[in-house]
């Protein structure tokens, strides 16, 4: 039987062996080439930063993980270890420009293909489908798009329907009409409502009706709730084992069920798509011509539908919140937008607003500046790439099969560039500094950058302005005394617009527009 001293000696031996093994594993895990960006410190071999990256937006900025914002900015580039893989974080604006220009060596499409497969369940080869079914990288020839892969054609569809002037004007006009109808029909009560929650109902409904036609939500009224359930929890897929993701996968399966109904080939599917724009149907038609199954067509629609709502809707909330809370700003906005509104069109097929006047930065510069100031303060957009070839970025080299992350929030909150009021909402910031809105400004990139900059950026800005102007025009919005703009929710990761930590309670009192 061991005496006390022998037991202590045995425990010490085990502890020494464990610590030695741990130190060896950690050192081995951190092995890298001499010209790679340095590792950001971590403690768990193999897993590395996976929990910090996938479960907390504070990862890049919060003092709990980073000594200071200045430190991570001065580092210019860092290496993360995520579940056994490397990811390079590039934050210096000059280096970000280099990342965006190297579109061949640093592939956007390859990373997106993996993300679509992992998050949305659209596999490179459909499960249960015959060999030869189109994959995400297969060339889809003819039909409604140019020859190219499914992912490449997605860019073509988006640019065609979201950037071409005639298509964008038609889409914006339809959205304006739907927003007007929904706001006119809204019956406000005596009780306060959560502005964020209310925005997540009204604006997505208007956009869905404008793009997909009126029959989709009539057949599936739970669709908006389902996409928000998925949006609130899909980040868990990045960090948790499948057996802990039953609710997320169930919601995703419901989205598959709804969009399988929408893209189906029979008469019922055609009726459901009546009144839809090509943005909602062209991709599915192209995949159908290539022989893809209904399941894969439905799966390819879910990321588009998610992207349409996940960023513009929270942006609309943030812009409204800042306008309502900033003293005197609401009256200034109302004065600016009032010439855009016209009477006598309610119930007609034309919106009650001059869309061109409202969305133009020349005629309505203040609401435009508020939009971009809200984007600067609340966007957590993260551009991603996959290294295909060794690439020099500044003093470092990025090596193949590793990811590249470009977080916009580091630049958006850089005091050296924006000044000591960097964390404050200044509604006139971009009126005083219009050069900041120039294309290619690496200090302001809420929509990403380079050849893959978000093609929906102009439409997103238009719908936000239409919604904000429509609400302020129709309602006197009352806040509780002392109510402020809620802080962003740093507890969950974000690749786009961040959510509020809590809602902003307001009362909506209809204005008498005939006085």
């Amino acid at each position: 039987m061991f005496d006390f001293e022998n037991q202590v000696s045995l425990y010490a031996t085990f502890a020494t062996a464990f610590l030695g093994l741990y130190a060896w594993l950690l050192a081995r895990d951190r092995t890298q080439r001499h010209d790679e960006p340095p590792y950001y410190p971590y403690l768990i071999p193999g897993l590395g930063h996976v929990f910090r990256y996938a479960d907390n937006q504070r990862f890049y900025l919060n003092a709990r993980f980073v000594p200071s914002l200045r430190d991570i900015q001065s580092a210019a580039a860092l290496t993360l270890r995520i579940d056994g893989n490397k990811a390079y974080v590039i934050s210096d604006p000059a280096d970000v420009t280099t990342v965006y220009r190297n579109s061949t060596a640093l592939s956007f499409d390859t990373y997106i293909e993996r993300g679509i497969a992992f998050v949305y369940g659209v596999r490179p080869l459909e499960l249960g489908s015959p060999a030869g079914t189109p994959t995400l990288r297969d060339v889809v020839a003819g039909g409604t798009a140019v020859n190219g892969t499914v992912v490449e054609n997605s860019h073509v569809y988006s640019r065609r329907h979201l950037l071409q002037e005639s298509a964008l004007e038609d889409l914006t006009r339809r959205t304006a009409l739907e927003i007007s109808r929904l706001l006119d029909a809204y019956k406000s009560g005596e009780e306060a409502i959560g502005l964020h929650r209310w925005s997540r109902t009204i604006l997505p409904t208007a956009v869905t009706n404008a793009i997909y036609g009126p029959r989709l939500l009539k057949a599936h009224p739970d669709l908006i709730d389902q996409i928000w359930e998925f949006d609130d929890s899909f980040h868990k897929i990045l960090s948790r084992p499948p057996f802990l993701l039953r609710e997320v996968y169930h919601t995703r399966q419901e989205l598959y069920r709804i969009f399988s109904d929408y893209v189906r080939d029979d008469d019922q599917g055609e009726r459901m798509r009546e009144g839809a724009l090509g943005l909602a149907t062209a991709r599915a038609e192209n995949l159908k011509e290539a022989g893809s199954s209904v399941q894969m067509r439905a799966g390819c629609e879910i990321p588009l539908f998610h992207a349409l709502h996940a960023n513009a809707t929270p942006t609309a909330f943030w812009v409204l919140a800042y306008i309502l809370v900033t003293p005197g700003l609401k009256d200034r906005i109302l004065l600016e937008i009032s010439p855009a509104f016209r009477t006598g069109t309610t119930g007609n097929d034309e919106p009650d607003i001059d869309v061109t006047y409202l969305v133009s930065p020349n005629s309505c510069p203040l609401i435009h500046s508020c939009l971009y100031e809200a984007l600067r303060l609340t966007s957590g957009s993260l551009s991603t790439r996959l290294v295909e070839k060794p690439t020099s970025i500044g003093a470092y080299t990025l090596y193949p099969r590793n990811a590249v992350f470009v977080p916009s929030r580091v630049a958006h909150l850089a005091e050296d560039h924006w000044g000591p009021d960097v964390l404050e909402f200044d509604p006139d910031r971009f009126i005083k500094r219009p050069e900041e809105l120039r294309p290619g400004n690496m200090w302001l990139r809420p929509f990403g950058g380079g050849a893959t900059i978000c093609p929906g950026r102009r439409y997103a800005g238009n719908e936000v302005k239409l919604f904000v102007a429509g609400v302020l025009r129709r309602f006197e919005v009352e806040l509780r005394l002392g109510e402020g703009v809620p802080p962003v929710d740093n507890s969950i990761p974000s690749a786009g617009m961040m959510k509020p930590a809590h809602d902003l309670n307001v009362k909506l009192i209809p204005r008498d527009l005939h006085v």
Side-chain angles (χ1 to χ4, degrees), residues 375-454:
L375 287 169
R376 185 186 68 81
L377 288 171
T378 62
S379 171
S381 63
L382 182 73
S383 296
T384 54
R385 301 290 190 271
L386 188 71
V387 184
E388 303 274 21
K389 301 175 183 178
T391 305
S392 295
I393 301 289
Y396 302 109
T397 301
L398 313 185
Y399 287 93
R401 296 188 298 277
N402 297 315
V404 179
F405 294 161
V406 182
S408 66
R409 196 158 175 76
V410 177
H412 291 179
L413 302 183
E415 184 176 349
D416 289 349
H417 180 78
W418 297 104
D421 64 344
V422 62
L423 299 180
E424 299 174 13
F425 178 83
D426 179 358
D428 299 290
R429 188 182 301 273
F430 294 100
I431 296 176
K432 295 180 289 189
R433 299 172 64 171
E435 70 279 2
E436 298 291 356
L437 296 176
R438 71 188 186 278
N441 179 15
M442 290 298 104
W443 294 100
L444 184 69
R445 48 180 194 272
F447 301 105
T452 57
I453 188 171
C454 174

Side-chain angles (χ1 to χ4, degrees), residues 109 113 135-141 145-157 286-287:
D109 285 357
E113 289 165 11
T135 71
L136 293 174
R137 302 212 76 173
D138 280 344
V139 171
V140 181
V146 299
N147 294 348
T149 67
V150 172
V151 172
E152 289 168 346
N153 277 333
S154 295
H155 302 328
V156 174
Y157 299 137
N286 196 229
L287 288 171

